[in-house]
DNA sequence: GTTTATTTGCAACGGTGTTTCATTTGTTAA
DNA sequence: TTAACAAATGAAACACCGTTGCAAATAAAC
């Protein structure tokens, strides 16, 4: 599905910066950082607009943020076809060497949640070394 | 165990700011934010020293950082006795209403990690509403 | 095409986290 | 105890991250 269709389907306005962000993410296998998206957007990039659109499109269900730590953040489309991110709750693998994030399969988390607590969202991040970095290719 | 013993046991120097940070965390059931620790430290707080000590003590195995999102970070002692944080890998519950973090039980994560990937660390954050906020007490 | 609501992009701001460096402090060993 | 050394502190300065208010531009609906 192309960027225009995606925006229409989620009922938010089709604007140049939004299309550019979606296309940048579509062109890559892995989730991207803001810097990477910025580079791909060229002149179309504006910091404030970027943050606002990330928020709007996250709320609209078009993409999701992947928080590695309080400094590193990546963005990925919910419907990316590559990997396993079909927006079923899934885990993310962060490679400490190359910094790439890979969306993993659906995840099952088992822990004891105290009486009365109501879970709404599960975030699972696995850190380590990816195959690429591990085997030297 | 008191703060001085903790530092000695982990073989790092006993300094005033470090003791103050540990004591602040010991006095509270829940993990604390920097702002909360700062308030408890009073004059003993210095931003740069704080960040460096968090890093030093994290590496030494005294405490751990809990990253909620790229803006909200909390800190907790590894051996807190309260809750379940005996430094076995555990999940964290973040209450979206009151902002408190609760350390949960040991966690078991099930997902399919691709061939060749070497996991080193699992981070699990569950977001939702805590009992306290849910039942109105 | 005109209207209307949304979005953009600028200015300005506050928070987060790091590096460099001189000074102070803690520890170890005499 | 004191001297000597290594480590930690705190000040200044910097780079990023993320948000808000507001006027101008733009998209969608009529």
């Amino acid at each position: 599905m192309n960027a225009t269709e995606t925006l229409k389907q989620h009922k938010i306005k089709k604007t140049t910066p939004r299309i550019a962000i979606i296309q940048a993410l579509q062109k890559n296998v892995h989730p991207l950082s803001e810097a990477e998206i910025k580079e791909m957007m060229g002149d179309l990039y504006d910091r404030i607009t970027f943050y606002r659109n990330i928020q709007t499109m996250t709320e609209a269900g078009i993409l999701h943020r992947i928080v590695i730590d309080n400094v590193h953040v990546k963005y990925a489309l919910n419907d990316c076809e590559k990997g396993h991110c079909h927006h079923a709750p899934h885990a993310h693998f962060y490679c400490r060497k190359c910094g790439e994030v890979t969306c993993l399969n659906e995840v099952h988390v088992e822990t004891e949640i105290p009486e009365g607590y109501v879970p709404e969202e599960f975030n699972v991040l696995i850190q380590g070394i990816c195959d690429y970095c591990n085997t030297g290719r």
Side-chain angles (χ1 to χ4, degrees), chain A:
Chain A
M1 177 161 43
N2 68 34
T4 303
E5 282 169 4
T6 302
L7 290 169
K8 183 168 284 175
Q9 193 181 317
H10 289 85
K11 296 188 179 112
I12 61 172
K13 278 193 182 176
K14 166 191 146 194
T15 67
T16 321
R18 283 175 190 168
I19 289 171
I21 292 172
I22 294 175
Q23 287 179 343
L25 294 175
Q26 281 175 335
K27 280 189 194 122
N28 283 270
V29 182
H30 293 285
L32 299 180
S33 66
E34 178 184 350
E36 291 164 328
I37 296 173
K38 172 181 177 178
E39 197 173 339
M40 298 187 72
M41 289 178 72
D43 279 349
L44 291 173
Y45 172 84
D46 172 79
R47 234 161 53 78
I48 291 103
T49 303
F50 176 82
Y51 284 119
R52 273 192 291 224
N53 278 331
I54 289 296
Q55 185 167 346
T56 305
M57 292 196 285
T58 300
E59 286 165 2
I62 293 175
L63 46 79
H64 60 281
R65 301 159 61 97
I66 304 159
V67 178
I68 311 303
D69 54 45
N70 44 331
V71 175
H72 299 100
V73 179
K74 303 261 189 172
Y75 305 94
L77 293 173
N78 288 342
D79 248 330
C80 68
E81 283 146 35
K82 310 145 200 155
H84 301 281
C85 359
H86 306 298
H87 207 203
H90 57 276
H92 295 116
F93 189 98
Y94 173 73
C95 176
R96 285 172 165 161
K97 202 165 173 190
C98 66
E100 292 287 12
V101 167
T102 308
C103 292
L104 303 180
N105 268 15
E106 294 190 22
V107 68
H108 180 71
V109 174
E110 202 175 290
T111 185
E112 200 178 300
I113 298 176
E115 187 66 21
Y117 283 58
V118 181
E120 291 171 355
E121 192 183 323
F122 289 71
N123 290 297
V124 176
L125 179 72
I126 303 172
Q127 302 192 49
I129 307 294
C130 73
D131 185 36
Y132 187 92
C133 288
N134 213 12
T135 62
R137 213 129 316 178

